[in-house]
Amino acid sequence: MARIDVDDGVQLFVQDWGSGTPIVFVHGWPLSHRMFEYQYIRLPREGVRCIGIDLRGYGQSSKPWSEYDFDLFADDLKAVLDELDVADVTLAGFSMGGGVVTRYMSRHDEEHVAKLALLGAASPVLAKKPDFPDGVDETAFVDLAQGCYEDRAKVSSDFADSMFHSAPSPELKEWLQNMSMESSPQAMADSIEAVGEMDLRSDLADISVPTLICHGVHDEACPFELTAEKLHEGIENTELVRFEESSHALFYEEKEKLNQELVNFST
């Protein structure tokens, strides 16, 4: 475990387990690196080093009052990878983290990265645009942000419910809710608005490394046809793996399958 300086007065928390081929995990909204627990406890046994990062505003990282957008998150990620001095990593992003790693690959010229894994990714674009009429109405993201200031606990509870194809145990849902409530309310609100404003379609052409796309076919947060299929079309060297029994929480609902895909892909 380490805390890495990425900005004046801002440190990111990094969990580093195992040895071997490194996978760097970037979590989704509004969670933390701990969401990958069921990857961390298996992959190091298969020769995979698991590096989990809490984005600024989340988990055990600093929670400054600041802008929260994909450029900032990508720059923070670059600072962490520079400090760790890792090479040829598999960079894995889930949900909002999928958008972060998409932006990183273009903004920072794929530095440190040999392979990319997009897991239930909120990428390249979710909200409706003039040339993307099938997207989600942008007011949905504004409403979520407003909800963070009015009843953030309910937003966290509702989002946890929406993540699963099969109902989770009450204890598992509580775990995710508690993880969500560790985040900064400002980061949580501003980040989801940034997801609504996000358009990373032009970044896809800059991705040249082999890319694994894993996505639940029942995903409501990041609908399969709006995200996984668009990523598969827009990135040159991709493999698209459908998770038939998962909604958004493929990291838990089909954890054994996801773990095996990551081992096969990264090693």
Side-chain angles (χ1 to χ4, degrees), residues 2 44 60 78 89 104 128 163 168 175 188 204 211-212 215 222:
Q60 298 178 64
K78 174 65 160 50
V89 306
Y104 175 89
K128 287 182 180 178
M163 293 180 73
W175 176 63
M188 190 169 161
L204 301 186
T211 301
L212 174 68
H215 212 102
C222 301

Side-chain angles (χ1 to χ4, degrees), residues 14 27 31 38 43 45 55 69 97 105 165 179 186 190:
V14 179
H27 65 83
L31 304 174
Y38 295 94
L43 298 186
R45 304 173 194 272
L55 297 172
D69 58 34
M105 295 297 281
H165 180 51
M179 200 183 306
Q186 189 227 354
D190 287 5

